[in-house]
Amino acid sequence: MTSNGIGYAVFGLGVGKSHLASAVKAEGCAFVAICDMNEAVLNKLGDEYGIDPANRYTSYEELLKRDDIKAVSICTPSGWHRDHTVQALRAGKHVLTEKPLEIRLDRIDEMNRTAEEEGLYLGCVFQNRLAPANRFIKDTLDSGRMGKPITCNFHLKWYRDDNYYAKNGGWRGTWEMDGGGAIMNQTIHTVDLMQWFMGPVRSIFAKAGTYNHPIETEDTAVAVVTFESGAIGTLIGTTCAYPGLEVSAQIHGSRGSIYAKNNRIELFKMADDDEQFSEEARIIAAYGSGAKSAPSSPETGGGQPKTGHAGQVQDMIEAVIHHRPPMIEGREGRASVEIVQALYESARTGQEVFLPYTPEGSGR
């Protein structure tokens, strides 16, 4: 923290602990204020991270009254993101909201509209975009080097036990607060990468079910996805893959293939590489599972770029200081939720659902 930076606040200290850990180390952050309705959690983390007791709040409304707080991370349950984000924006604060941006498209539209009305920034957390391997994949795809996009597979195979769904009041795995299950909560990151890499989705046909948890939403879903480019692919998300496996992406074009696992490149085969695939060897060394560190970035002056939550919190602080939008704006956070909503509609009706998708009623 610095004496000349901005005041930054974190509301919700579950996943918000990562935001807190990032903010206290961020350049341009003058101080961090924290808020959680659980006073024991508030003080435990406040003591751990050296937060002044004067900067600890159990009342969100009181925190928002402070003029010296310029930006807030919203890390509360997903179904509260709209309310807490709008409150902060109306109080004159820039906002970085955890994924998903919200669980309903009409609420997301309200959040984006409010940010525009107030002239403030709304950012969305999708920290996997910052992984050096994923940025390299994105640049490769955008270059057209892989030729015509043909097919892809995006899979998240994790495991969550029943205690995971029961803790913190049992909000996870509910339609009202989580907006879904394995897809909306966990696989939303993979959905974001899928549409970021492959481009807009044209349609989706899905099956979903609850196989191994006492929850009202799905713990497993499988979908066939058609993209506007004409490419087709599969999306799988589950919290039933004991003991917890990988997140993977396989992308195939007419002149190349990429396979990534857990944000590392495992295969990079391009038709214009040499016969020994020498370029692939260099890329695997830099971005593969055995790489010791991320390659330097020209955006950081040749130094190590910040990744994960640290990168997004740092970016949000710099956005406020330099008066420019955050790297992932609220309107980008809408795309993944629209895909998830269409997936749920397809699973419910047994029909292929085309985008743009406008849900009725609750958005389920």
Side-chain angles (χ1 to χ4, degrees), residues 14-254:
V15 68
K17 181 178 179 179
S18 295
H19 291 243
L20 169 58
S22 302
V24 297
K25 297 178 181 179
E27 298 176 9
C29 180
F31 68 89
V32 179
I34 55 176
C35 182
D36 197 284
M37 291 177 283
N38 187 322
E39 191 167 5
V41 170
L42 179 75
N43 288 322
K44 179 179 183 295
L45 290 178
D47 291 345
E48 181 179 344
Y49 287 92
I51 304 301
D52 190 315
N55 292 335
R56 305 178 192 181
Y57 292 83
T58 55
S59 168
Y60 184 50
E61 289 73 18
E62 289 300 313
L63 177 139
L64 292 179
K65 290 179 181 179
R66 289 184 52 167
D67 292 334
D68 56 349
I69 294 173
K70 301 302 181 184
V72 181
S73 278
I74 304 296
C75 307
T76 52
S78 306
W80 286 342
H81 286 178
R82 185 270 310 269
D83 293 347
H84 293 151
T85 295
V86 169
Q87 279 182 270
L89 291 168
R90 294 299 187 200
K93 318 300 182 189
H94 303 279
V95 177
L96 177 64
T97 302
E98 259 295 340
K99 61 79 191 169
L101 192 61
E102 239 285 356
I103 61 176
R104 285 174 41 174
L105 295 177
D106 58 339
R107 296 178 183 176
I108 290 175
D109 291 340
E110 181 182 352
M111 293 161 69
N112 284 317
R113 186 168 58 249
T114 302
E116 292 176 2
E117 290 172 356
E118 298 294 334
L120 296 165
Y121 300 132
L122 172 60
C124 181
V125 171
F126 278 122
Q127 73 271 18
N128 288 344
R129 290 196 191 187
L130 277 64
N134 289 335
R135 296 177 68 168
F136 183 81
I137 292 169
K138 172 67 172 172
D139 289 344
T140 300
L141 291 167
D142 287 351
S143 74
R145 183 181 178 191
M146 288 181 64
K148 178 183 178 181
I150 296 173
T151 188
C152 61
N153 311 97
F154 286 82
H155 298 169
L156 179 142
K157 297 182 179 180
W158 284 356
Y159 180 76
R160 296 290 185 267
D161 61 19
D162 292 347
N163 290 331
Y164 167 83
Y165 289 102
K167 67 183 180 182
N168 297 325
W171 67 272
R172 294 184 180 89
T174 67
W175 289 113
E176 181 180 3
M177 294 303 297
D178 209 2
I183 300 298
M184 183 66 88
N185 193 310
Q186 286 79 28
T187 315
I188 193 80
H189 282 295
T190 306
V191 172
D192 176 67
L193 283 182
M194 179 183 74
Q195 63 88 29
W196 191 52
F197 286 158
M198 301 296 296
V201 170
R202 178 187 298 168
S203 71
I204 191 162
F205 180 80
K207 297 283 188 179
T210 310
Y211 293 90
N212 198 40
H213 297 96
I215 58 175
E216 63 184 33
T217 62
E218 89 295 342
D219 59 17
T220 301
V222 178
V224 175
V225 183
T226 303
F227 299 89
E228 287 188 3
S229 67
I232 58 173
T234 61
L235 172 70
I236 296 176
T238 183
T239 54
C240 298
Y242 183 85
L245 306 179
E246 73 277 356
V247 179
S248 63
Q250 297 180 359
I251 304 169
H252 307 284
S254 58

Side-chain angles (χ1 to χ4, degrees), residues 251-269:
I251 304 169
H252 307 284
S254 58
R255 294 189 56 78
S257 292
I258 297 174
Y259 168 47
K261 182 174 72 174
N262 296 333
N263 296 324
R264 295 286 190 170
I265 296 174
E266 301 293 320
L267 178 147
F268 188 86
K269 300 289 188 186

